[in-house]
Amino acid sequence: MKIGPILVRPHAWWNNKIPLSIFLFLLLINGQSLSEAVLSLFGLIIVVCSVANFGYALNDIYDQDEDRRAGKPNAAAVMGTRRTWKIVMASAAFAIVVSCLSAGISGLFLTAIVLLLPLAYSVPPFRIKERYLAGVLADALAAHVFPAMLALLILSHQKLAFPSAALVCVLFIWALATGLRGILTHQFKSATSDRAAGLLTVAHHISNLQLKNMIVFGLTPVEMLAISAAVTIAPVTPFAIVMAFVYLALELLKTFQNEISLRILNHKGHRYVPFINESGYKVWGPLVLALDAAVADPAFLTIALLFSVLYWPQLKQQARHLLISLEKLATDLVRFRERYRMHGLIARSGVITVCDHNYFPGLLMLHRSVQESGAYPVACYDIGLTDAQRAEALGLRNMHILALPNDPLISEIQVALKTDINVQKTGKRVWPLWICPILIKHAPFQKVVWLDCDVVVLRDLPKLFATLDNHPVFTAENFAPEKTPNKPALYERLPIARRFSPNKPVINAGVSGWCKSRDKLLIEAYIYPVARAVSDPETRALISWHDQGALIWAIQYMGKEDCVEAGYQWNKSAANTSLINKPLPWNNAFLSTLRIEHPDVNIMHWNGASPPW
């Protein structure tokens, strides 16, 4: 009894029945002045509170044994049966008097009849709460239909509104459907504790699935159609209609997102079900209708303020749900925009690479060099960038940071090569050295140039892309050509039918060019040795320089040796230049100085040399 000595379980009805009553009253009174309607509103709230207090007090008197068996709190057991009976009588008297003052003789008779429902619901020998559908109907009539019909009577008696027969009909249907859904949801949720108390309800006569379907797919749609019709018929402004559509859209959005867990149908939480939490009646509806009524009389803003104060926890919870949903929507829109943008790149040419946090300075310089040479988009697969690096990169024009493709072979490579010392490379993780062909296969461009992240473009990149119109492009190894060929035994495990030289081509996989549609079989041939290396460590040990050896095998298998560019201008090893002894300062003048000092080089590659940053 936290609120007062005469209120029984107020938390059970204050947050449910009163907001609904305010919602109904504001829906019907729209266009009137608050000074004419305020006493009627308070009268409605007082009667609904009194009837609810009467019903809960009476129920607790006759539920003491059951609640004790189920371990539920019981007001009558705490305060004593005699005192609770006094509360029952006082609540009934208060309800009858105020209903008579507010709605006349009709209101008095309606209230008197409704007070009989809790008696029949709880008191033996009737106790229809144990009689299947009769108890469900009695609860729905008393808890939801009565406040709706009383609001109509009060407004008619006070000559504040004269609802049409159609509006009365749809409000009755709405209130009945809402009440039935409410009591059935309660019985569904409390079926276990009710059985422990020896109380059998509808939830024990039909299956959980049948009852849940009745609630979600039967009563809730009827409820929403009826209230939609009521809002359409009621005297509201276009503002309220627009906000109703906004609410509908948000409910559908929350359902689709399923980010918010509800505990309406069980205590553990379940996926979001639209409209079932009644936020439209208990939070947003009263606020919107109060603001809508303020168009005719600004004094209704005080109702909005008072409602916000009284139901601040519920308002805050719904605002939090709204924020969650909007944040998820914003995230999804960003992802959709990125997917759409990347989809638009499919028909274009672009550079792809891969980078972690250690090579990020190289990525920035690579991107800058590409932009200065041809302004092609650069797509970098992220294998360990920091959040700050990722944000900086995404702020650059023509830079796209991509997650690794959802290709199962990448996962297999990560697992198989994580600890294999036979293929380890000093200072580097092993598995990224094998995924190049998979990234080319999934690249978001049609014409793809692969560039390692320790590469910079000095000039003539458009010429390289133009060459792709005729054939793929491979570049010669000029740092350690004698170590390039695969071991001869590889061709026993992965035989090649055509005649070829195992020592040719001598290529470096740090720079290559592809037309994905034309070179599809070549790309698959590039992937094949990698897949075999993952499943067979002995095959893995026969492949030279990781994915580079796989590319050599693919070129030999497909007979593409003549696609290797002559000379070293497209993949010049910095170890074979003056840079090995006289490195340039890593600053804004780096690229311009490099171009001046190496006019015969199109692409500089720091393979065999420490990165310049």
Side-chain angles (χ1 to χ4, degrees):
M1 302 301 295
K2 294 182 179 180
I3 294 182
I6 63 171
L7 300 181
V8 177
R9 287 197 279 163
H11 61 278
W13 47 265
W14 176 257
N15 293 331
N16 293 315
K17 296 174 176 55
I18 306 309
L20 186 142
S21 300
I22 296 173
F23 169 78
L24 269 176
F25 190 87
L26 292 174
L27 179 67
L28 298 169
I29 201 63
N30 209 326
Q32 303 294 330
S33 67
L34 180 61
S35 59
E36 296 175 345
V38 65
L39 291 178
S40 299
L41 175 59
F42 285 139
L44 173 64
I45 292 173
I46 289 170
V47 174
V48 171
C49 288
S50 299
V51 171
N53 202 52
F54 170 85
Y56 277 98
L58 190 65
N59 188 68
D60 273 17
I61 290 173
Y62 289 95
D63 274 5
Q64 291 184 66
D65 291 339
E66 291 176 355
D67 288 346
R68 183 170 56 253
R69 288 194 297 269
K72 294 182 179 179
N74 185 286
V78 175
M79 296 186 299
T81 302
R82 183 175 180 180
R83 181 181 175 186
T84 308
W85 267 115
K86 291 180 180 180
I87 293 174
V88 169
M89 302 304 295
S91 298
F94 212 59
I96 288 174
V97 171
V98 177
S99 64
C100 183
L101 293 174
S102 300
I105 298 299
S106 298
L108 185 150
F109 276 112
L110 176 64
T111 303
I113 292 171
V114 166
L115 289 174
L116 295 176
L117 292 175
L119 285 169
Y121 186 81
S122 302
V123 179
F126 305 104
R127 198 160 171 78
I128 59 176
K129 69 183 296 182
E130 298 177 352
R131 299 191 181 184
Y132 199 44
L133 295 178
V136 169
L137 184 61
D139 186 276
L141 291 172
H144 288 82
V145 176
F146 166 66
M149 297 302 103
L150 180 64
L152 292 169
L153 284 178
I154 290 176
L155 293 174
S156 297
H157 181 74
Q158 299 293 337
K159 295 182 173 55
L160 295 172
F162 300 95
S164 64
L167 183 57
V168 173
C169 181
V170 295
L171 283 178
F172 179 85
I173 294 172
W174 167 73
L176 182 61
T178 304
L180 291 173
R181 181 185 55 76
I183 182 60
L184 289 174
T185 299
H186 170 74
Q187 292 184 355
F188 182 83
K189 190 175 181 179
S190 61
T192 302
S193 58
D194 285 344
R195 185 182 293 276
L199 176 63
L200 297 181
T201 64
V202 172
H204 303 107
H205 287 81
I206 62 177
S207 70
N208 285 348
L209 181 60
Q210 287 177 312
L211 184 53
K212 183 178 178 180
N213 288 340
M214 183 189 301
I215 294 169
V216 175
F217 301 110
L219 293 171
T220 301
V222 171
E223 177 185 342
M224 294 313 303
L225 288 173
I227 196 60
S228 298
V231 171
T232 303
I233 298 171
V236 296
T237 71
F239 168 75
I241 301 294
V242 170
M243 294 308 295
F245 278 105
V246 170
Y247 170 73
L248 173 64
L250 286 173
E251 285 296 290
L252 295 177
L253 178 64
K254 292 176 186 176
T255 305
F256 178 76
Q257 293 174 333
N258 193 31
E259 290 289 308
I260 300 167
S261 178
L262 297 180
R263 290 179 171 80
I264 307 297
L265 298 174
N266 60 53
H267 297 282
K268 296 179 180 179
H270 56 83
R271 71 167 290 117
Y272 196 88
V273 178
F275 315 117
I276 203 169
N277 65 355
E278 299 185 347
S279 61
Y281 319 138
K282 296 178 181 178
V283 178
W284 304 120
L287 283 177
V288 168
L289 290 174
L291 295 174
D292 196 53
V295 174
D297 182 3
F300 274 98
L301 293 174
T302 59
I303 298 296
L305 179 61
L306 183 61
F307 183 87
S308 299
V309 172
L310 292 175
Y311 293 96
W312 176 247
Q314 291 82 357
L315 183 61
K316 186 165 65 173
Q317 181 191 53
Q318 289 303 313
R320 186 167 60 250
H321 287 176
L322 177 61
L323 183 60
I324 290 171
S325 186
L326 293 179
E327 287 179 346
K328 178 66 165 57
L329 177 62
T331 300
D332 289 343
L333 287 175
V334 169
R335 291 176 178 172
F336 175 79
R337 184 181 64 182
E338 184 63 21
R339 285 198 299 267
Y340 179 79
R341 181 174 61 176
M342 296 312 296
H343 178 74
L345 295 175
I346 292 296
R348 295 169 51 187
S349 303
V351 172
I352 66 168
T353 189
V354 65
C355 186
D356 63 8
H357 66 283
N358 290 319
Y359 272 68
F360 184 68
L363 174 64
L364 296 181
M365 194 64 77
L366 169 61
H367 169 266
R368 178 182 165 188
S369 72
V370 171
Q371 300 312 297
E372 292 177 356
S373 184
Y376 293 96
V378 176
C380 173
Y381 288 96
D382 181 0
I383 58 169
L385 295 175
T386 67
D387 290 340
Q389 289 172 338
R390 195 176 300 109
E392 180 180 354
L394 287 172
L396 299 174
R397 181 177 177 273
N398 273 341
M399 174 73 90
H400 308 279
I401 303 299
L402 309 180
L404 289 176
N406 185 23
D407 192 304
L409 183 55
I410 292 181
S411 299
E412 294 173 19
I413 291 172
Q414 289 173 322
V415 173
L417 304 182
K418 187 174 183 180
T419 59
D420 190 343
I421 62 173
N422 294 318
V423 294
Q424 287 188 356
K425 193 171 182 179
T426 304
K428 292 185 179 181
R429 290 175 292 175
V430 179
W431 65 265
L433 306 176
W434 293 83
I435 64 175
C436 174
I438 309 166
L439 302 184
I440 292 172
K441 175 182 178 180
H442 293 282
F445 311 112
Q446 185 58 245
K447 293 169 69 175
V448 180
V449 168
W450 171 276
L451 297 178
D452 280 356
C453 219
D454 55 353
V455 159
V456 293
V457 178
L458 301 187
R459 56 185 57 83
D460 292 341
L461 188 57
K463 288 185 179 180
L464 186 61
F465 276 104
T467 304
L468 296 180
D469 291 336
N470 302 316
H471 56 77
V473 171
F474 309 112
T475 55
E477 167 68 34
N478 60 106
F479 170 64
E482 71 282 357
K483 297 182 180 180
T484 299
N486 291 312
K487 294 179 175 58
L490 175 66
Y491 301 100
E492 297 176 8
R493 291 179 175 272
L494 305 180
I496 295 175
R498 61 179 289 270
R499 296 183 64 181
F500 71 100
S501 170
N503 296 319
K504 293 182 181 180
V506 180
I507 58 106
N508 179 277
V511 178
S512 62
W514 312 76
C515 176
K516 287 176 56 180
S517 57
R518 181 195 61 219
D519 301 328
K520 182 177 180 181
L521 294 178
L522 180 58
I523 295 171
E524 292 298 331
Y526 190 3
I527 292 173
Y528 178 69
V530 174
R532 288 290 301 271
V534 170
S535 60
D536 182 5
E538 293 183 3
T539 298
R540 190 186 312 158
L542 299 175
I543 297 175
S544 175
W545 298 107
H546 316 98
D547 68 289
Q548 182 168 291
L551 178 56
I552 291 172
W553 186 92
I555 294 171
Q556 295 165 339
Y557 182 82
M558 298 294 295
K560 297 295 183 181
E561 289 91 342
D562 58 344
C563 295
V564 179
E565 291 294 304
Y568 305 126
Q569 70 272 20
W570 289 111
N571 192 347
K572 183 68 173 181
S573 172
N576 291 335
T577 70
S578 60
L579 293 171
I580 195 68
N581 296 316
K582 293 176 56 180
L584 296 177
W586 187 257
N587 53 32
N588 287 333
F590 178 82
L591 286 174
S592 58
T593 304
L594 194 59
R595 290 182 178 119
I596 293 171
E597 294 190 0
H598 299 275
D600 57 338
V601 177
N602 296 336
I603 293 177
M604 187 70 75
H605 187 183
W606 272 263
N607 62 317
S610 298
W613 54 86

